[in-house]
């Protein structure tokens, strides 16, 4: 039985574990419809199929030019392993999501973004080239100059164009492994929006919203900024973790316990503004120190809803969405608000210029109605929902939110990928 | 001081995970493996992960008559072996070996005879050195014969018994001998089997192996709970055990 990170749904599946190109070819010819799987950190059903090909054994580094910061690796290498190699030499990931436990291939397929999207864009902006295995077992290189259509469809393409086997990434030089962090309390959504506007030039920014606060405090948040520090050296973080050992009872997280947690979190900081010198690990990967945190949401699992609204919709649209969530009392732990820069050329990459909101929901029967209503608001404002987190978006809604789906499908057909690569999600979305 | 590490069967999942941890410590690695493509890819990977140097040798250890030359080359290249890990092996299909004497003996050749031959040759070097650790991956399956895989189990048990004697002999030469008994590990060797909660990842097993080598242990069950599972299994009276469907 396998699931995505959200532990919903669980399905029966066979997983092949090829370790060489020949074994990958055999695996592809043995499976009728399949999808690649890395570390299983996509929340929903985008890396779920009854037949899957694991990239876990395709996890070798190929080359590292420590002078120019160019790294080539196989797709199954995790960002965590990449950091272990590059940080001591003074390099960092140019874009990183909120967990380091994703593979390089997964980061490409989701075209992940981070706290610096407003400045640097998505992960794929730093990908020089990719090697794919197409549905017929042949290898195909692609980049911005070489098979560009395939490259742009693959970045953010949810593994639906072919098996991503290898790639080359351009790294970012950093002055130390430490971050100068500024945390500012914002009393409501208006305040946090103006903080984003004022700090648009900051390298990293994010806000944790208490999505249970309502009325005058609607959108109350902790706004966080970060810049790479000049001091501190290139130490790796200690490998210490806590683990959630068991699937917790779902009732543990209810509107009371979460309201209490969020209030504590918000008031933990006394001053209006707090400056700290922190290691990059707690700054970028706070949840990675709690292994298996997805078990907190109980047996039925959870989903994350992440949407982005264009700048024009801004405050008004976000308020409408937040109000709906606050009223439902279903919102969970701190939700995350980020500002996004312009959209890139990839067909299915999620970010568009504007604001993105992400929050977790425990799976409950009434939840899906709420999420459908949110979809309508998001689509109305010409926003979209992030496929990497999604488990329930309808085909009609998807096609409205991602108008380039037809172009994407045409590329899928051109490379024969529609005959082979299917996930639960792609079937649901009509891809 | 950076360590010199010899790994035989280096591209197996557990051995690869062990090699990577030593690479991160800046060790020099000598890899013996059968598949040229795989060992080249791994050597590159280990260098990038921090290995001081990686030497690789393509060899099929099933050919016992090549062992002397292989070991000679190892001793020339490494001068001193701080740690030798023997990790190669096959999991024969029990149903097939029941009906095929040739396949049975072939699996004994790979899992037991080749290991014993290599150990015998390597032991001379370790006696000369008067220090170092020999670590060999056997299996919990060697602790008791069961109908579902006794050919595999018997070959592993043969190595374990050999290791007991070798440990006793080399004790007087300050050389440690570690018998590694993994339970179920999620590797390509068993890709066709269904996985339950008892299955461990090779990275976790590798971590246990490094710890056991470091602490100079004699026998390692990994993950740890297999020691207790096997304690129970070993203590079931034979008159009952023979009736079980394990």
């Amino acid at each position: 039985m396998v699931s995505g990170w959200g532990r919903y749904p669980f399905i029966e599946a066979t997983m092949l574990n090829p370790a060489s190109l020949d074994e990958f070819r055999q695996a592809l010819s043995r499976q009728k419809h399949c999808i690649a799987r890395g570390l299983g950190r996509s929340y929903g059903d985008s890396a779920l199929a009854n037949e899957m090909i694991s990239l876990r054994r395709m996890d070798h580094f190929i080359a590292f030019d420590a002078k120019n910061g160019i790294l080539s690796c196989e797709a199954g290498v995790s960002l965590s392993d990449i950091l272990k190699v590059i940080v001591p030499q003074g390099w960092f990931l140019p874009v990183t999501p909120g967990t380091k436990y994703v593979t390089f291939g997964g980061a490409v397929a989701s075209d992940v973004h981070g706290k610096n999207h407003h400045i640097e864009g998505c992960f794929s902006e730093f990908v020089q080239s990719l090697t794919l295995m197409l549905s017929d077992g042949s290898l195909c290189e692609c980049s911005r100059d070489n098979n560009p259509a395939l490259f742009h469809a693959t970045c953010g393409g949810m593994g639906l164009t072919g098996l991503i086997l290898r790639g080359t990434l351009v790294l970012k030089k950093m002055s130390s492994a430490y971050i100068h962090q500024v945390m500012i309390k914002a009393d409501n959504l208006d305040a946090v929006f103006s903080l984003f506007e004022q700090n648009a030039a900051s390298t990293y920014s994010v806000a944790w919203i208490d999505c249970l606060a309502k009325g005058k405090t609607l959108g109350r948040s902790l706004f966080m900024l970060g810049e790479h520090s000049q001091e501190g050296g290139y130490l790796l973080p200690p490998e210490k973790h806590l683990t959630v050992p068991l699937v917790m009872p779902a009732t543990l997280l209810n509107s009371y316990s979460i309201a209490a947690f969020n209030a504590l979190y918000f008031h933990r900081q006394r001053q209006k503004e707090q400056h700290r010198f922190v290691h990059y690990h707690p700054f970028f990967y706070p949840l990675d120190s709690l292994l298996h945190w997805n078990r907190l949401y109980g047996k039925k699992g959870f989903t994350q809803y992440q949407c982005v609204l264009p700048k024009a919709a801004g405050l008004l649209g976000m308020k409408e969405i937040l109000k709906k969530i606050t009223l439902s009392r279903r919102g969970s732990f701190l939700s995350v608000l980020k500002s996004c820069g312009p959209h890139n050329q990839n067909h299915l990459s999620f970010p568009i210029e504007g604001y993105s909101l992400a929050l977790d929901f425990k799976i409950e029967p009434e939840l899906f109605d709420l999420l459908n209503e949110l979809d309508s608001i998001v689509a109305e404002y010409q926003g979209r929902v992030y496929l990497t987190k999604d488990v329930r978006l309808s085909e009609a809604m998807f096609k409205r939110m991602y108008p380039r789906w037809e172009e994407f499908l045409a590329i899928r057909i051109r490379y024969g990928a529609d005959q082979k690569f299917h996930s639960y999600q792609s079937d649901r979305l009509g891809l | 001081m950076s360590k010199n590490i010899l790994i035989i069967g280096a591209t197996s999942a557990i051995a690869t995970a062990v090699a990577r941890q030593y690479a991160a410590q800046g060790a020099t690695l000598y890899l013996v493996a059968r598949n040229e493509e795989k060992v080249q890819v791994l050597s590159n990977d280990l260098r990038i992960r921090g290995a001081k140097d990686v030497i690789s040798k393509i060899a099929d250890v099933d050919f016992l008559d090549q062992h002397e030359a292989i070991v000679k080359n190892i001793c020339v290249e490494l001068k001193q072996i701080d740690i030798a890990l023997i990790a190669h092996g096959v999991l024969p299909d029990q149903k097939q070996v029941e009906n095929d004497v040739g396949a049975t003996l072939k699996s004994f050749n790979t899992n037991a005879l080749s290991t014993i031959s290599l150990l015998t040759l390597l032991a001379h070097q370790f006696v000369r050195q008067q220090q170092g650790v020999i670590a060999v991956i056997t299996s919990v399956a060697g602790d008791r014969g069961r109908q579902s895989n006794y050919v595999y189990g018997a070959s592993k048990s043969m190595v374990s018994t050999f290791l007991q004697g070798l440990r006793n002999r080399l004790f007087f030469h300050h050389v440690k001998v570690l018998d590694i008994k993994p339970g179920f590990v999620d590797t390509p060797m068993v890709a066709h089997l269904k996985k339950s909660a008892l299955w461990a990842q090779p990275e976790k097993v590798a971590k246990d192996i490094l710890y056991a080598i470091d602490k100079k242990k004699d026998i390692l069950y990994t993950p740890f709970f297999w020691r207790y599972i096997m304690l129970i299994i070993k203590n079931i009276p034979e008159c009952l055990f023979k009736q079980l469907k394990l």
Side-chain angles (χ1 to χ4, degrees):
Chain A
M1 297 288 279
V2 234
S3 75
W5 183 244
R7 303 177 52 83
Y8 168 85
F10 272 95
I11 61 159
E12 283 288 349
T14 56
M15 180 122 61
L16 297 177
N17 246 312
S20 67
L21 292 181
D22 278 342
E23 289 169 24
F24 270 93
R25 277 187 202 105
Q26 283 164 24
L28 270 184
S29 65
R30 265 173 59 188
Q31 299 190 327
K32 196 167 151 273
H33 281 176
C34 60
I35 194 78
R37 190 174 165 97
L39 284 165
R41 285 290 176 130
S42 289
Y43 283 67
D45 54 0
S46 49
L48 272 191
N50 297 97
E51 294 188 315
M52 292 185 284
I53 296 183
S54 167
L55 272 290
R56 288 296 295 281
R57 296 286 150 239
M58 199 69 172
D59 64 344
H60 299 90
F61 287 100
I62 299 167
F64 176 35
D65 173 353
K67 226 176 103 200
N68 299 307
I70 296 173
L71 179 85
S72 298
C73 65
E74 292 178 343
V77 173
S78 69
L79 298 191
S80 164
D81 279 355
I82 292 180
L83 288 167
K84 277 187 205 158
V85 165
I86 65 172
V87 167
Q89 312 237 35
W91 297 95
F92 198 61
L93 294 166
V95 166
T96 175
T99 171
K100 59 184 172 151
Y101 298 124
V102 297
T103 60
F104 174 85
V108 171
S110 287
D111 201 9
V112 295
H113 59 275
K115 297 178 171 68
N116 57 353
H117 188 274
H118 58 292
I119 292 185
E120 305 275 20
C122 287
F123 191 78
S124 66
E125 319 306 333
F126 301 89
V127 174
Q128 263 188 351
S129 63
L130 294 170
T131 305
L132 268 69
M133 185 175 278
L134 302 179
S135 56
D136 62 358
S138 64
L139 294 183
C140 184
E141 300 260 349
C142 64
S143 67
R144 283 179 184 76
D145 314 313
N146 183 10
N147 296 315
L150 182 63
F151 180 80
H152 288 297
T154 301
C155 297
M158 309 311 287
L160 297 171
T161 54
L163 292 173
I164 302 169
L165 292 186
R166 301 192 275 265
T168 300
L169 183 69
V170 180
L171 305 169
K172 170 180 178 161
K173 187 95 198 143
M174 65 171 179
S175 39
S176 103
Y178 289 81
I179 301 280
H180 180 77
Q181 172 188 305
V182 183
M183 194 90 104
I184 305 170
K185 272 175 153 181
D187 293 327
N188 52 42
L189 202 62
D190 298 76
V192 74
F193 262 70
S194 61
L195 280 170
F196 271 114
E197 298 295 332
Q198 285 160 29
N199 294 286
S202 287
T203 310
Y204 301 107
S205 62
V206 66
W208 310 95
I209 296 197
D210 175 357
C211 57
L212 290 174
K214 51 190 170 188
K216 262 195 226 157
T217 56
L218 181 81
R220 149 176 104 170
S221 19
L222 283 178
F223 178 74
M224 192 163 86
L225 292 170
E227 295 294 339
H228 287 281
S229 172
Q230 296 300 319
E231 290 128 56
Y234 298 119
L235 270 180
L236 284 168
E239 297 226 8
K240 263 199 261 163
H241 311 283
L242 289 171
T243 302
V244 181
L246 297 167
V247 178
M248 294 290 158
T251 46
L252 188 75
L253 297 186
N254 52 56
S255 59
Y256 300 102
S257 64
I258 290 169
F261 175 87
N262 284 3
L264 273 176
Y265 194 86
F266 184 74
H267 292 298
R268 192 182 58 163
Q269 176 173 330
R270 289 261 180 83
Q271 318 90 303
K272 174 90 184 155
E273 188 173 322
Q274 186 190 61
H275 291 246
R276 286 175 72 196
F277 177 73
V278 296
H279 191 267
Y280 76 75
H281 195 269
F283 183 82
F284 289 108
Y285 313 113
L287 277 174
D288 281 351
S289 307
L290 185 61
L291 297 180
H292 301 298
W293 63 262
N294 55 345
R295 291 174 177 165
L296 285 173
Y297 285 90
K299 229 166 67 185
K300 295 207 176 100
F302 75 107
T303 184
Q304 187 173 93
Y305 189 81
Q306 182 167 2
C307 59
V308 59
L309 295 185
K311 224 165 195 161
L315 194 55
L316 204 69
M318 211 44 100
K319 254 190 193 158
E320 197 176 334
I321 290 174
L322 260 187
K323 265 189 198 147
K324 191 132 233 146
I325 294 166
T326 313
L327 263 179
S328 77
R329 303 285 291 165
R330 286 186 203 290
S332 60
F333 282 125
L334 306 152
S335 24
V336 178
L337 183 66
K338 274 186 285 221
S339 85
C340 295
H343 185 54
N344 59 22
Q345 289 183 49
N346 305 335
H347 304 81
L348 297 186
S349 279
F350 162 71
I352 52 176
E353 186 156 22
Y355 289 94
S356 136
L357 178 74
L359 29 82
D360 296 347
F361 293 99
K362 193 155 76 173
I363 299 287
E364 291 168 300
E366 307 84 2
L367 171 68
F368 296 98
D369 291 337
L370 171 70
L371 299 185
N372 287 337
E373 286 173 40
L374 294 180
D375 284 348
S376 309
I377 303 175
V378 171
E380 201 58 45
Y381 284 107
Q382 297 183 319
R384 50 173 54 171
V385 164
Y386 194 7
L387 298 181
T388 300
K389 316 274 175 92
D390 160 63
V391 71
R392 29 67 49 197
L393 188 66
S394 72
E395 178 175 345
M397 238 353 144
F398 162 71
K399 291 181 172 171
R400 210 172 135 192
M401 292 174 173
Y402 288 86
R404 291 181 73 194
W405 68 270
E406 266 175 306
E407 246 177 283
F408 179 80
L409 191 58
I411 294 166
R412 229 161 106 64
I413 293 167
R414 193 188 325 155
Y415 287 93
D418 61 318
Q419 301 295 319
K420 189 59 92 178
F421 302 107
H422 285 263
S423 61
Y424 272 48
Q425 183 179 57
S426 74
D427 289 342
R428 174 163 48 77
L429 300 179
L431 281 177
Chain B
M1 249 284 285
S2 103
K3 291 179 187 142
N4 289 342
I5 318 259
L6 162 69
I7 302 184
I8 297 176
T11 58
S12 78
I14 296 175
T16 295
V18 170
R20 282 178 173 165
Q21 300 210 17
Y22 282 119
Q25 296 177 11
T28 296
L29 292 133
Y30 189 115
L31 313 178
V32 180
R34 212 167 26 166
N35 184 312
E36 182 159 10
E37 180 198 330
K38 283 188 190 172
V39 82
Q40 281 316 328
V41 168
L42 179 61
S43 304
N44 239 338
D45 175 72
L46 294 172
R47 279 190 202 102
I48 295 172
R49 287 178 197 258
K52 192 172 157 203
D53 193 10
V54 184
I55 305 155
S56 61
K57 170 100 188 152
I58 313 300
D60 186 341
V61 291
D62 272 356
F63 299 108
L64 307 184
D65 52 352
Q66 295 177 6
H67 286 190
E68 220 168 316
I70 295 173
V71 172
K72 211 173 204 167
N73 185 264
I74 293 167
C75 297
V76 170
E77 292 280 354
L78 286 187
K79 312 276 186 309
Q80 163 149 328
I81 309 170
D82 294 303
I83 297 159
L85 173 68
I86 301 187
H88 69 273
V90 288
L91 179 63
D93 175 3
Q94 177 64 31
K95 281 278 155 301
Q96 190 208 339
V97 285
E98 276 168 21
N99 299 309
D100 184 343
V101 180
T104 303
L105 297 182
K106 192 170 178 312
S107 78
F108 265 89
N109 186 57
T110 307
N111 287 337
L113 299 184
S114 74
T115 305
I116 286 170
S117 155
L118 287 164
L119 283 170
T120 305
L121 293 164
L122 284 168
H124 300 310
Q125 169 69 12
F126 279 91
V127 167
R128 262 197 301 278
Q129 294 178 187
Q130 293 286 306
Q131 60 173 309
V133 180
I134 298 175
V136 183
I137 298 181
T138 64
S139 170
V140 292
D143 278 9
R144 194 154 193 181
R146 294 170 297 125
Q147 61 169 348
S148 56
N149 71 345
Y150 61 86
V151 171
Y152 179 71
S155 64
K156 292 297 190 180
S157 137
M158 184 171 175
V159 174
S160 287
T161 307
F162 183 90
L163 289 175
Q164 285 172 3
L166 189 68
R167 180 183 301 121
N168 187 194
R169 177 186 147 209
L170 295 184
F171 173 79
F172 300 98
H173 298 280
H174 317 289
V175 175
K176 306 289 175 223
V177 175
L178 170 66
D179 184 354
I180 301 157
K181 299 187 175 191
F184 299 145
V185 187
D186 191 357
T187 68
M189 193 199 246
V190 290
H192 55 288
L193 300 177
K194 270 211 161 19
K195 313 289 188 292
S196 71
L198 287 180
W199 289 79
Q201 287 303 316
E203 289 74 20
K204 157 81 180 117
V205 169
K207 218 169 149 186
D208 287 354
I209 292 175
L210 260 79
Y211 182 79
I213 289 175
D214 215 38
K215 294 287 167 200
K216 311 218 181 309
K217 303 256 186 223
D218 297 320
I219 297 170
L220 167 71
Y221 283 88
T222 167
F224 71 96
F225 51 78
W226 284 98
R227 176 180 296 274
Y228 306 102
I229 296 178
M230 295 322 292
L231 188 71
I232 295 167
I233 289 184
K234 279 194 285 193
N235 281 293
I236 300 172
E238 191 64 28
C239 58
L240 290 176
F241 195 81
K242 70 182 179 195
Q243 301 176 41
L244 300 179
K245 292 226 152 104
L246 280 170

